[in-house]
Amino acid sequence: MTFSWIKYIPLPILQGLVAVCAFICHTFGLSIYRSITANLTLIYPDMPDNERHALAKTILKNQLMNTVESLRTWSMPPEWSIRQITKVHHSEILQAGFEHPNGMLLIVPHLGVWELMNAWVSQYGKLTIMYKPVKNPQIDRFMRDSRERIQASLVPTDATGVKAIFKTLKAGGFSVLLPDHVPDDSGGVVAPFFGIETMTGTLATKLAAKTGCALVGLSCIKRSDGDGYEVFCYALDDERLYSKDALESTTALNEAMQAIIEPHFTHYMWGYRRFKGTPLMQNPYLLPPHELKTLAIKLQQRTRAS
């Protein structure tokens, strides 16, 4: 089966392959590296170019390695994934979420190896996950098999899926959302993320407002000593997250995700074009670096003056 072979490759060899791929990506300026540098330019326009490129290389290597680790997770049994979690920070927050009468919505940014965490959290109950089939049928089957092994309930990314998550929460269950993607215009509002006004999904906060569920942030990061992974739990208890005002609630959600991301900034998926939905400029990822930097500095100055 597609990618199932990856479980037989020793980790040092995978790390070596990732290092080679990262070198190729930044040497030849491939799309993923350009996206990372563009995102860093937007949020840190005053950063010296040499520092930005050094940071981008670290992020690139981490993102590629996290992707490989996700593939390994999909190819391994759930018990293997659970054993990789060697430390959990503030587990009492997660436990309180499980006990909440209105259910719990796990807020998980594209940070670290979130696929590993799916298996770990599923040992505490049946997890409901929104799932959008990928175009390649073999890869789609590979991913679905992995999630079915953890006995997750897969629901579509449409109104049917939203109803299923709503039903799960009303029954006191729990679901997971990765709300830092770029939604369709009908599914989001423009709100600041790392200081950049950008299209932001409203599903998570709408569900919170309707159900009164617990909101808990989670991240799963490779330990610096190489001894497995650490899970970090965050209590998302800002009252604005439950506001029926979409701009207020999504702004609070982006602030919460930023607080989760910042301690592990280099493990975030900055290769994703998160700001392509910004109204502040045409698609920033199509601009030459010097033009993007000039615009980013102007935006920063405007924000400071307001």
Side-chain angles (χ1 to χ4, degrees):
M1 185 177 292
T2 304
F3 294 120
S4 60
W5 48 264
I6 200 168
K7 63 185 176 183
Y8 300 112
I9 300 179
L11 183 58
I13 294 179
L14 290 175
Q15 291 171 330
L17 291 173
V18 164
V20 171
C21 290
F23 175 80
I24 292 172
C25 288
H26 74 71
T27 299
F28 295 97
L30 300 188
S31 177
I32 183 174
Y33 184 71
R34 295 199 308 272
S35 296
I36 292 170
T37 54
N39 283 330
L40 293 178
T41 298
L42 284 167
I43 62 177
Y44 297 134
D46 294 331
M47 180 180 287
D49 291 344
N50 61 328
E51 291 184 18
R52 183 182 301 109
H53 287 295
L55 182 59
K57 289 179 183 179
T58 299
I59 291 170
L60 172 64
K61 188 173 180 179
N62 284 341
Q63 183 169 329
L64 293 176
M65 194 66 224
N66 288 336
T67 300
V68 168
E69 294 285 21
S70 293
L71 293 175
R72 282 219 303 170
T73 297
W74 290 334
S75 69
M76 301 295 280
E79 295 77 16
W80 178 88
S81 298
I82 293 171
R83 289 197 302 270
Q84 306 312 302
I85 307 297
T86 57
K87 189 171 184 179
V88 180
H89 299 264
H90 301 297
S91 60
E92 71 279 1
I93 294 173
L94 185 61
Q95 185 59 43
F98 285 127
E99 296 171 359
H100 197 285
N102 296 331
M104 173 174 59
L105 193 58
L106 297 170
I107 301 299
V108 180
H110 288 80
L111 177 68
V113 188
W114 61 89
E115 292 290 349
L116 188 72
M117 192 165 53
N118 283 343
W120 175 79
V121 78
S122 291
Q123 66 184 310
Y124 300 106
K126 190 170 183 179
L127 178 64
T128 300
I129 303 176
M130 275 192 157
Y131 179 72
K132 183 177 181 180
V134 298
K135 293 181 180 179
N136 185 304
Q138 289 183 308
I139 296 177
D140 183 68
R141 186 69 259 173
F142 179 62
M143 295 172 65
R144 289 184 67 89
D145 286 347
S146 169
R147 287 165 180 172
E148 288 170 358
R149 282 199 298 272
I150 63 174
Q151 299 183 342
S153 176
L154 303 181
V155 298
T157 55
D158 56 20
T160 303
V162 174
K163 289 180 181 178
I165 293 179
F166 182 79
K167 184 177 180 180
T168 295
L169 296 174
K170 292 296 286 184
F174 64 103
S175 182
V176 60
L177 285 180
L178 284 74
D180 53 339
H181 65 286
V182 179
D184 296 331
D185 290 348
S186 61
V189 296
V190 174
F193 182 65
F194 278 86
I196 303 296
E197 299 286 334
T198 193
M199 186 61 69
T200 302
T202 57
L203 176 57
T205 52
K206 283 183 177 179
L207 285 169
K210 288 181 179 180
T211 66
C213 65
L215 294 174
V216 174
L218 289 182
S219 65
C220 181
I221 308 296
K222 182 80 170 180
R223 291 182 55 147
S224 58
D225 60 8
D227 183 24
Y229 294 79
E230 295 178 273
V231 168
F232 297 83
C233 308
Y234 302 85
L236 307 185
D237 50 11
D238 188 332
E239 291 183 0
R240 295 177 300 155
L241 291 166
Y242 295 87
S243 172
K244 293 184 179 180
D245 182 291
L247 178 57
E248 182 178 31
S249 61
T250 52
T251 297
L253 180 63
N254 279 347
E255 289 174 1
M257 285 194 291
Q258 183 171 340
I260 295 172
I261 293 165
E262 283 180 331
H264 313 286
F265 184 87
T266 62
H267 285 274
Y268 187 64
M269 197 171 70
W270 289 112
Y272 178 57
R273 298 189 170 189
R274 179 67 183 87
F275 302 113
K276 66 182 180 181
T278 179
L280 302 175
M281 62 183 78
Q282 292 184 343
N283 190 336
Y285 303 99
L286 300 179
L287 295 175
H290 65 282
E291 290 186 21
L292 180 60
K293 184 174 182 179
T294 299
L295 283 173
I297 291 174
K298 289 181 179 179
L299 289 174
Q300 186 183 71
Q301 291 171 342
R302 183 190 308 173
T303 300
R304 289 173 176 172
S306 61

